[in-house]
């Protein structure tokens, strides 16, 4: 059974940093793509950043220059380094992974940016 386990969320002041991690377990195959999405209260879930196995990376315009996605293929783990955080970054952050024709999601981790 494939599982995605996220960690690293929390409360941070505006301008601060957090690093999220997401580890994939239970699969004999490496994900072809992994990424992060977020959902703020009352809003739809939106893409934050994705990385595919060939190394191509996509960021939402709202996080470009502040967030960095990276992947450790040996550990099937994806990271999201978030710098210069803003109150509008407050959301539940979800990790997802594409393995063959299936898409898997983590349980989500809360990120709150507030003074």
């Amino acid at each position: 059974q494939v599982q995605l386990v996220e960690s690293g969320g929390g409360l941070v002041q505006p301008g601060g940093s957090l690093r999220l991690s997401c580890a994939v377990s239970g699969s004999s195959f490496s994900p072809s793509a992994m990424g992060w999405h977020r959902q703020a209260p009352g809003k739809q879930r939106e893409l934050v950043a994705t990385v595919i196995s060939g190394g191509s990376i996509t960021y939402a315009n709202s996080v470009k220059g502040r967030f960095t996605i990276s992947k450790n293929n040996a550990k099937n783990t994806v990271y999201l380094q978030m710098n210069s955080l803003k109150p509008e970054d407050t959301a539940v952050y979800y990790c997802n992974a594409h393995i063959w024709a299936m898409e898997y999601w983590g349980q989500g981790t809360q990120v709150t940016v507030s003074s």
Side-chain angles (χ1 to χ4, degrees):
Q1 182 179 359
V2 176
Q3 289 187 318
L4 277 62
V5 179
E6 300 137 335
S7 61
L11 173 64
V12 64
Q13 292 186 342
S17 298
L18 282 174
R19 188 189 193 215
L20 305 182
S21 300
C22 172
V24 179
S25 63
S27 174
S28 300
F29 304 98
S30 295
S32 57
M34 295 189 72
W36 293 92
H37 292 65
R38 67 186 181 187
Q39 187 166 18
K43 294 187 177 181
Q44 290 187 331
R45 189 174 297 189
E46 63 176 1
L47 170 72
V48 176
T50 61
V51 55
I52 65 173
S53 58
S56 179
I57 290 175
T58 301
Y59 292 103
N61 288 334
S62 59
V63 306
K64 282 181 180 177
R66 300 188 298 121
F67 291 11
T68 302
I69 189 170
S70 60
K71 187 170 177 281
N72 184 322
N73 292 323
K75 295 183 178 180
N76 277 346
T77 299
V78 66
Y79 307 94
L80 186 68
Q81 178 66 44
M82 304 185 294
N83 298 328
S84 301
L85 282 160
K86 304 176 181 180
E88 51 263 43
D89 294 318
T90 295
V92 178
Y93 284 70
Y94 296 92
C95 169
N96 77 322
H98 292 261
I99 303 174
W100 287 101
M102 301 293 292
E103 184 177 23
Y104 301 90
W105 290 88
Q107 79 284 357
T109 185
Q110 177 71 44
V111 171
T112 302
V113 185
S114 175
S115 55

